[in-house]
Amino acid sequence: MNDKVLWVTGASSGIGAAVAKKFAKEGWKVAISARRIELLNVIAEDDNIYSYPLDVTNAIQLKETFNKIVNDLGKVDLCILSSGTYERKSEKEIDTNNIKNVIEVNFLGVINSVAAVESYFKNKKNGHIAIVSSPVGYRGLPKSSGYTPSKAALNNFTQGIYFDFIKFNVRVSLICPGFIKTALTDKNEFKMPFLKSPEYAADKIYDGLVRKKSFEIIFPIQIAIIYKIFQILPNKIYNYLISKFVNR
Ligand SMILES: NC(=O)c1ccc[n+]([C@@H]2O[C@H](COP(=O)([O-])OP(=O)(O)OC[C@H]3O[C@@H](n4cnc5c(N)ncnc54)[C@H](OP(=O)(O)O)[C@@H]3O)[C@@H](O)[C@H]2O)c1
């Protein structure tokens, strides 16, 4: 048992749920948040895990819930913001309502969460915010009119606030998982390369945040290499490769 406290959003399933269990197993006290109360309550049956339901699109509820967590558990050392949504079938055309919803949850929902913890961490001059985004946010992709742009905005936002928070001794980390088998990716009808389990993701996230203290945590290694190359390719080559191998 250590005296550290973690708050995880998007913790009712997938990566967030696995991360909550991993940190609890490592002796952290873990507050978990998402909308589906029944799922949160099942996860909170584990030792050291406590349920705090909320919707990340509700900024007031977020702030109130975060204050309650600090009150109940005494403090928060680390926040892992893992809430997110993806409707593949709605992404193939430009569906404005879908795009608004995805941006509302994936981008503005995370901003609401950061806003909820900002003054707490800056005042105590200590803390750590980790944002679960995606490597797909690094460059545009076909048939992804909402999800990829929402993650592009999030990657940029995370890198930007790194500079604003580090002055207050508050760390900011960017988590970029490759394909992880969750409800979110179960809707994909294509074979996902280098697919990994949520438990694998949780181990990598724990390692990156606690042991290696990296800014960017990107995994598995194959996805890290592919996306590092994608980031530096000239448009002509990137567009050729994506047209040939992805947009078929
Ligand atoms: N799976 C992958 O391959 C992969 C790869 C890269 C990045 N990611 C990112 O990883 C994060 C977690 O996704 P996942 O794969 O673990 O999928 P998931 O199992 O569907 O988890 C998504 C989580 O977000 C929560 N959520 C959605 N809308 C919310 C809202 N309005 N308010 C509060 N919580 C909300 C969901 O809980 P409720 O429905 O109970 O609210 C759920 O706990 C997402 O940000 C996703 O974009 C996933």
Side-chain angles (χ1 to χ4, degrees):
M1 185 77 187
N2 65 45
D3 70 339
K4 297 279 189 186
V5 181
L6 164 69
W7 176 41
V8 193
T9 66
S12 60
S13 61
I15 297 170
V19 160
K21 289 179 187 170
K22 168 74 183 171
F23 276 76
K25 221 171 92 191
E26 297 291 339
W28 290 55
K29 272 189 198 164
V30 181
I32 53 170
S33 295
R35 291 164 305 175
R36 287 170 295 172
I37 300 174
E38 345 56 79
L39 293 183
L40 292 178
N41 288 342
V42 172
I43 297 165
E45 283 170 10
D46 282 17
D47 286 348
N48 295 337
I49 304 187
Y50 309 88
S51 167
Y52 291 88
L54 54 73
D55 186 326
V56 294
T57 64
N58 183 336
I60 295 167
Q61 190 191 31
L62 261 170
K63 184 77 195 153
E64 286 171 357
T65 307
F66 179 71
N67 290 343
K68 185 160 168 34
I69 294 168
V70 173
N71 244 330
D72 292 353
L73 304 185
K75 61 170 182 161
V76 170
D77 300 286
L78 166 65
C79 304
I80 301 180
L81 308 177
S82 188
S83 53
T85 186
Y86 173 51
E87 270 305 327
R88 184 170 165 78
K89 65 177 182 337
S90 318
E91 297 255 333
K92 297 179 183 177
E93 312 285 334
I94 297 179
D95 174 341
T96 318
N97 286 331
N98 175 63
I99 294 171
K100 278 185 186 157
N101 178 50
V102 172
I103 298 284
E104 183 79 32
V105 176
N106 292 5
F107 184 50
L108 299 176
V110 173
I111 290 182
N112 288 338
S113 310
V114 173
V117 306
E118 180 178 17
S119 58
Y120 172 75
F121 278 156
K122 282 186 176 173
N123 285 337
K124 76 171 182 147
K125 297 210 166 17
N126 189 278
H128 190 174
I129 300 167
I131 294 179
V132 181
S133 188
S134 172
V136 300
Y138 285 130
R139 283 191 94 155
L141 281 170
K143 297 176 191 142
S144 187
S145 55
Y147 185 78
T148 295
S150 75
K151 294 299 186 180
L154 201 50
N155 289 354
N156 189 296
F157 170 78
T158 307
Q159 183 127 44
I161 62 164
Y162 170 86
F163 304 107
D164 301 325
F165 279 80
I166 200 69
K167 290 183 198 151
F168 293 85
N169 193 37
V170 178
R171 282 172 59 203
V172 172
S173 299
L174 175 68
I175 300 172
C176 288
F179 289 108
I180 308 298
K181 188 167 171 29
T182 65
L184 189 133
T185 48
D186 281 346
K187 298 167 211 156
N188 286 342
E189 68 273 10
F190 59 90
K191 188 173 177 322
M192 290 173 274
F194 317 114
L195 185 67
K196 302 288 182 192
S197 68
E199 291 71 31
Y200 167 93
D203 286 347
K204 290 287 177 191
I205 290 169
Y206 183 84
D207 224 48
L209 293 176
V210 177
R211 295 210 184 94
K212 296 191 181 132
K213 304 189 187 294
S214 346
F215 167 70
E216 187 197 38
I217 299 162
I218 178 166
F219 54 83
I221 184 74
Q222 298 91 331
I223 291 287
I225 292 168
I226 290 168
Y227 272 92
K228 288 299 145 192
I229 295 170
F230 277 2
Q231 275 180 281
I232 55 168
L233 280 182
N235 284 322
K236 206 170 180 174
I237 302 174
Y238 177 78
N239 290 352
Y240 171 79
L241 290 174
I242 297 297
S243 303
K244 192 158 169 60
F245 297 107
V246 182
N247 193 26
R248 288 178 294 175

